[in-house]
Amino acid sequence: MSAFSSAQSPQSPAIVARLRASGCVFAEEEALLLAGAAATPDDLAAMVDRRVSGVPLEHVLGWAEFAGLRVAVEPGVFVPRRRTEFLVEQAAALAERRPRAVVVDLCCGCGAVGLAVAARAPSVELHAVDIDPGAVRCARRNLAEVGGRVYEGDLYRPLPAELKGRVAVVVANAPYVPTDSIGLMPPEAREHEPRVALDGGADGLDIVRKVIAPARGWLAPGGCVLVESGERQAPRVVEAFANGGLLPRVAASDELAATVVIGTMPT
Ligand SMILES: C[S@@+](CC[C@H](N)C(=O)[O-])C[C@H]1O[C@@H](n2cnc3c(N)ncnc32)[C@H](O)[C@@H]1O
């Protein structure tokens, strides 16, 4: 027999109606997911309350689906976005070219990008960095299964020095929202994801430039840096790559509305 009465069941019109009234477009699907994650009717009621109050679904569930994987996401940690699957595709294609490629996921958040690259190119040696302790804790949970090492700190600073000159792929979905645009983001992002995960400074590219400028010192010959950006930011990212001595090119996906700029270390 189910632990849920008909009034609390996932198909309960009352739950679906509450979710829909709070703005959930996929209310039926969300109701099913919440019911699947709840151990008891009280749990379900508490989860629905949190969701209705505006907490992102992924934070309520404790996981996000990303690139076909289920990735743990704790409250207060950036929720990986579907468009970033394009960054993963591009990075995995480059990592696959070398056996046991060293891959560094900078600004790793919960580790979704590194995990998905390692799932596609299983022989990689994965290192991941984030400045936020909550993100680091989450990434350690997610990357344990692929043997990824996770460091807390500012960009390249916490990486072991022996990686210098050995990295095949640096992949970074760094914050790239211009400061003035943060207020225009949906409340789920503005209110439930940390500022450090979103704010990229005046033109959005402060952190991206700090990812690119020192990259030559870490890359192996022919190695690459891949960063996600907005479409209109791409020309400035190209310029940053050229200034950093890397050969830039832009890749874009209409389907995912995603832009990735790639800089390659000349051989
Ligand atoms: C847009 S989120 C992306 C997270 C993850 N890459 C993803 O796609 O799900 C940016 C992440 O960069 C981290 N971050 C911001 N500044 C950083 C810095 N200077 N060094 C390392 N990580 C940083 C934030 O804590 C946040 O987790």
Side-chain angles (χ1 to χ4, degrees):
M1 211 176 74
S2 165
F4 299 92
S5 73
S6 61
Q8 298 156 328
S9 81
Q11 292 82 12
S12 154
I15 290 180
V16 173
R18 277 192 75 203
L19 291 168
R20 183 164 297 118
S22 73
C24 301
V25 179
F26 302 105
E28 281 89 357
E29 289 84 345
E30 292 204 9
L32 280 170
L33 287 167
L34 292 169
T40 65
D42 283 350
D43 261 0
L44 178 59
M47 290 170 101
V48 171
D49 285 348
R50 291 183 69 216
R51 181 63 185 127
V52 165
S53 77
V55 177
L57 176 68
E58 293 81 357
H59 287 161
V60 179
L61 293 172
W63 57 268
E65 194 184 318
F66 180 74
L69 303 167
R70 189 177 277 204
V71 190
V73 188
E74 294 171 13
V77 174
F78 183 87
V79 176
R81 307 296 203 262
R82 175 90 209 287
R83 81 168 74 84
T84 304
E85 293 178 11
F86 184 61
L87 178 68
V88 167
E89 265 174 42
Q90 300 292 313
L94 292 165
E96 272 169 345
R97 289 190 192 164
R98 301 177 190 224
R100 292 182 299 284
V102 175
V103 173
V104 173
D105 179 2
L106 287 183
C107 299
C108 67
C110 70
V113 171
L115 181 66
V117 170
R120 282 159 180 71
S123 76
V124 300
E125 175 186 325
L126 179 63
H127 300 260
V129 180
D130 203 283
I131 203 163
D132 176 54
V136 167
R137 197 171 50 243
C138 211
R140 287 197 173 127
R141 280 174 67 192
N142 285 317
L143 298 183
E145 66 179 276
V146 294
R149 269 171 275 169
V150 185
Y151 312 86
E152 182 180 323
D154 183 16
L155 300 177
Y156 297 92
R157 200 160 292 162
L159 287 172
E162 66 259 26
L163 291 185
K164 283 189 177 165
R166 287 187 50 220
V167 179
V169 173
V170 174
V171 61
N173 180 23
Y176 61 85
V177 181
T179 305
D180 285 351
S181 303
I182 303 270
L184 307 174
M185 296 185 81
E188 280 190 19
R190 259 190 290 123
E191 293 169 14
H192 297 279
E193 292 178 323
R195 185 93 182 192
V196 70
L198 306 173
D199 192 344
D203 71 348
L205 297 175
D206 285 1
I207 314 279
V208 167
R209 289 192 187 91
K210 288 182 187 163
V211 167
I212 293 171
R216 269 182 78 107
W218 293 89
L219 290 177
C224 300
V225 179
L226 301 93
V227 296
E228 184 176 295
S229 77
E231 187 183 1
R232 282 187 296 175
Q233 292 169 319
R236 273 168 285 143
V237 181
V238 163
E239 197 182 306
F241 272 124
N243 292 340
L246 301 177
L247 304 172
R249 72 183 164 90
V250 179
S253 161
D254 290 339
E255 190 196 338
L256 293 173
T259 302
V260 169
V261 190
I262 303 166
T264 304
M265 172 97 148
T267 45

